[in-house]
Amino acid sequence: MRFGALPRVPAVSGAFLRSPVTLGATLLVVASLALRVLILRDSHFVEDDLLFVGDAYENDLTLGFVTRVHKGHLMPGAIALTWVLSRLAPYDWLLAAGVTLAAQALLSVLAFRLLRLLFGDRPAILPPLAVFLFSPLTVPAFGWWAAAINAVPFQLALVLALTCQVRFARGEGTRYGWRALGWTVFGMAFSTKGVFAVFLLFALTTAFLGDREAGWGRSVLREVRRNRRLWAAYLAVIAAYTTVYLLRAGAASTDRLPAPKVDVALDLAGRLLGRTFPGGAVGGPLTWSPVTPTGGLAGPSDAVVAVAWAVLAAVVLVSVVHRRRAVRAWIVLAAYLVFADTVPTVIARGGYTSLVGAETRYVADAVLVLAVVLGLALLPLRGEEDAYRRPLPRPSWRVPVVVIVTGAYLAASVVSVETYRQTLSGDRVRTYLGTVARQLAAAPDDVVIYPTPLPDDIVLPLNGDRRLSHRLLAPLARPGLRIRMAFPQPSYDARVFDRNGRLDRMSVFGFLGAPRNGERCLPVADGALHFPDAVSFGGPATAGAIAYAAERPVPVTVEVGEERVLLTLRASDGGLIHFPVRGVSRGMRIVLDDPAAEVCVTGVALGAPIAESEQPR
């Protein structure tokens, strides 16, 4: 098998399904996918999803585009995938969800294949498989497209790299070692955590797949000597990836992250490691709070956290008492959680809020590691002799205990997934984007649409100008209209999108200049109107307006800082013209270029475009 071709998955046949273990695994996979279909049904594009679609229509598929750092992530594969799907069909949730579900189905089958390769075709691999397939920790990252394009391909790469590494360590050929490297590079293309896959492969190889009886430290030295070229290649890949990351992160002007704050970082790490992961590892959190545009955050109660830690402590204790080298397995899991999941999250998000520690997507990849570690800590590897330091309890009560514990885990997981599904707002976004698409399809070719921020419950304000309508909604417009949305012109019938996606008449929220009581017109001094208190924040989401009356066309120049906007006020008894303002300044001046013209300016506004129906009264 060449790298780039997926490992062959056994065909479904009568003999295949007559294997009790395979049949049980098949039922688990199908049931887990059915739960995930419900998640996809109630999800939709939200938050960063829209940013990716907007970026796809503003950029060509170039090396510079796919290697840009997005909010701390270097993920050329993920950006390329979103570009292709967005260009094929913008905001087509069926397409995006279908690709995600297909990848998850493949991941589920290959995870079973890995466990069977490690431990043999025995029923005891089904509980670790169930932990991986049903863990609520993986569900939020699965249903949110921007997270799924990182999480699912990376886990897929991790499973395939581990599979190849197992075969390499068992002496099936050096080609499998290089294939493991290839799949690791593939994982790096979708997630920065791909770097840590190298250390996970090395740790598992030296702890369990190499010279197990020689001691871990001695096994490390032997592995380095035996396969130094392979591990040197891994280090070279890490160095290259890190170099590209640092260069591209330094070039990013809009996605620079704030430095971590000590108190926030400590609270975030404590929440992630002390509550979110333990609760999810046993089927929690059961409850999700607070709720964000992407869904609920893990909010396990103190009771759930206490039970989780008790269960995990019991499993660790039982494994250490009975299984040789079980301690190594738990060290690997703990190290992965700290160095691959927590430290990068603290660095990238420790400057925001500790609530980030309640986002399960940051530990979703650790669920696969947990499933493998559970097997390593409790089961003998295929062909391993003398795996236990003391006899296991009799099957007559050991099996019922495992069945009860696995059943309780599955029940808790299903409840957690269902309560999470109830926090999703897919219908809201689906309705909004559908309305926008219909409005744009019906709009005339000469319509003028000014940029406005998308509603906060669809894209958060922290995304700044990247959440403006001319970027995120333009992919739904025909090409000519798309250009007009990016460069709106002065208009007497300007439109903006309201919070429900309808095109509404435009108003301006901000500075308002009106005549004094009893006067009809604003005063003119030296052929100009002066507004020293008007403030322009500039950028695409700033506009001005002039209300006036004139018997004939009147040319005027609007001065905002160093910016000059040339307008012609058409003859009207009650005209209202809107115009874009890009400059940043305090103060505005309207110069009457024809001093002899009789014009009465009845009002002036400068600020943010807003739907007329949503203008505060």
Side-chain angles (χ1 to χ4, degrees):
M1 180 192 75
R2 303 183 308 275
F3 172 70
L6 292 175
R8 288 177 295 177
V9 179
V12 177
S13 63
F16 178 78
L17 292 178
R18 278 196 295 272
S19 166
V21 175
T22 302
L23 180 58
T26 301
L27 294 175
L28 288 174
V29 169
V30 171
S32 68
L33 293 177
L35 276 178
R36 291 175 186 270
V37 167
L38 297 178
I39 293 295
L40 292 175
R41 185 194 67 182
D42 291 348
S43 301
H44 204 70
F45 297 102
V46 68
E47 264 294 313
D48 286 22
D49 302 345
L50 284 82
L51 302 184
F52 287 134
V53 176
D55 289 340
Y57 276 79
E58 289 189 348
N59 297 274
D60 293 327
L61 190 60
T62 63
L63 183 62
F65 172 63
V66 299
T67 57
R68 67 189 180 88
V69 174
H70 172 79
K71 296 184 177 180
H73 298 282
L74 175 62
M75 47 183 189
I79 292 178
L81 177 61
T82 59
W83 189 95
V84 171
L85 295 183
S86 298
R87 287 299 185 100
L88 284 175
Y91 296 122
D92 187 331
W93 182 245
L94 183 61
L95 175 62
V99 171
T100 303
L101 185 63
Q104 181 66 37
L106 180 61
L107 171 61
S108 301
V109 173
L110 292 176
F112 167 58
R113 181 177 181 267
L114 171 62
L115 292 174
R116 190 170 58 177
L117 179 67
L118 281 167
F119 307 109
D121 195 31
R122 64 181 73 193
I125 66 174
L126 295 180
L129 179 64
V131 167
F132 173 68
L133 295 178
F134 287 87
S135 175
L137 292 174
T138 65
V139 172
F142 171 80
W144 181 17
W145 191 47
I149 57 175
N150 298 136
V152 179
F154 172 60
Q155 292 175 67
L156 190 59
L158 195 56
V159 165
L160 289 166
L162 286 169
T163 299
C164 291
Q165 186 65 20
V166 171
R167 302 187 70 172
F168 168 66
R170 289 178 177 173
E172 296 185 30
T174 56
R175 64 187 183 278
Y176 288 108
W178 295 105
R179 289 176 187 174
L181 172 61
W183 286 117
T184 302
V185 173
F186 178 82
M188 291 180 184
F190 287 86
S191 174
T192 52
K193 292 185 179 182
V195 170
F196 300 97
V198 177
F199 301 100
L200 177 65
L201 291 175
F202 186 79
L204 292 178
T205 299
T206 55
F208 292 97
L209 304 177
D211 301 322
R212 292 186 293 267
E213 304 297 335
W216 202 354
R218 190 171 299 174
S219 177
V220 167
L221 295 177
R222 289 181 179 178
E223 177 64 25
V224 171
R225 286 196 298 267
R226 184 185 301 120
N227 299 301
R228 56 183 176 274
R229 289 178 58 192
L230 177 62
W231 296 112
Y234 273 111
L235 293 178
V237 168
I238 292 176
Y241 183 89
T242 303
T243 300
V244 173
Y245 181 91
L246 294 176
L247 290 174
R248 298 299 291 157
S253 59
T254 59
D255 279 340
R256 294 185 178 177
L257 303 171
K261 303 173 183 176
V262 175
D263 56 338
V264 173
L266 292 176
D267 196 11
L268 187 160
R271 189 185 297 263
L272 191 65
L273 294 175
R275 301 183 68 88
T276 301
F277 181 79
V282 299
L286 299 182
T287 54
W288 304 82
S289 179
V291 176
T292 70
T294 60
L297 304 184
S301 65
D302 292 342
V304 169
V305 173
V307 170
W309 276 109
V311 170
L312 292 175
V315 173
V316 172
L317 179 62
V318 169
S319 67
V320 170
V321 168
H322 292 279
R323 175 73 162 95
R324 297 181 188 275
R325 294 172 290 276
V327 172
R328 298 183 186 180
W330 298 115
I331 289 175
V332 169
L333 176 62
Y336 188 89
L337 281 168
V338 171
F339 295 106
D341 288 342
T342 304
V343 171
T345 302
V346 166
I347 292 174
R349 302 291 182 263
Y352 293 110
T353 169
S354 61
L355 273 178
V356 170
E359 293 193 54
T360 61
R361 61 191 174 105
Y362 292 114
V363 289
D365 53 296
V367 176
L368 175 62
V369 182
L370 171 63
V372 172
V373 162
L374 278 174
L376 293 172
L378 296 169
L379 304 175
L381 291 163
R382 176 182 283 180
E384 182 182 7
E385 298 179 358
D386 196 26
Y388 297 102
R389 59 167 48 97
R390 63 182 61 191
L392 294 172
R394 294 189 302 273
S396 59
W397 75 269
R398 184 178 76 231
V399 173
V401 168
V402 173
V403 170
I404 291 172
V405 171
T406 304
Y409 171 83
L410 290 175
S413 296
V414 170
V415 171
S416 294
V417 172
E418 176 60 22
T419 53
Y420 174 76
R421 187 171 68 86
Q422 294 172 6
T423 70
L424 297 174
S425 57
D427 288 342
R428 155 70 171 143
V429 187
R430 188 177 294 108
T431 300
Y432 175 84
L433 290 177
T435 301
V436 169
R438 290 189 295 272
Q439 293 280 296
L440 288 173
D445 291 337
D446 61 351
V447 67
V448 177
I449 304 174
Y450 275 67
T452 51
L454 267 64
D456 293 355
D457 59 347
I458 294 178
V459 182
L460 291 172
L462 59 85
N463 289 290
D465 286 350
R466 295 186 66 189
R467 72 182 188 123
L468 295 178
S469 58
H470 74 290
R471 298 192 68 255
L472 306 187
L473 302 183
L476 294 171
R478 50 193 181 273
L481 183 53
R482 196 178 301 151
I483 295 174
R484 293 178 62 84
M485 291 174 67
F487 303 100
Q489 300 300 309
S491 174
Y492 289 91
D493 190 25
R495 302 280 167 160
V496 294
F497 288 101
D498 67 13
R499 72 177 316 275
N500 294 313
R502 293 187 296 265
L503 283 174
D504 193 2
R505 291 183 61 84
M506 173 177 155
S507 183
V508 175
F509 177 72
F511 170 80
L512 176 64
R516 299 170 184 170
N517 292 335
E519 297 183 4
R520 180 175 176 238
C521 306
L522 287 163
V524 178
D526 299 325
L529 295 89
H530 301 267
F531 306 95
D533 295 330
V535 177
S536 170
F537 294 100
T542 303
I546 300 175
Y548 68 95
E551 294 182 354
R552 62 180 177 85
V554 179
V556 301
T557 300
V558 180
E559 300 177 354
V560 180
E562 296 183 356
E563 183 180 10
R564 301 293 184 267
V565 181
L566 304 180
L567 302 173
T568 298
L569 308 182
R570 67 187 182 188
S572 174
D573 288 335
L576 176 63
I577 186 171
H578 291 97
F579 52 92
V581 177
R582 295 290 185 266
V584 178
S585 178
R586 184 179 185 88
M588 180 172 66
R589 184 168 176 258
I590 301 176
V591 180
L592 305 179
D593 296 329
D594 183 358
E598 295 185 3
V599 59
C600 173
V601 177
T602 58
V604 171
L606 180 64
I610 189 173
E612 192 174 79
S613 60
E614 296 173 356
Q615 175 75 276
R617 302 300 180 187

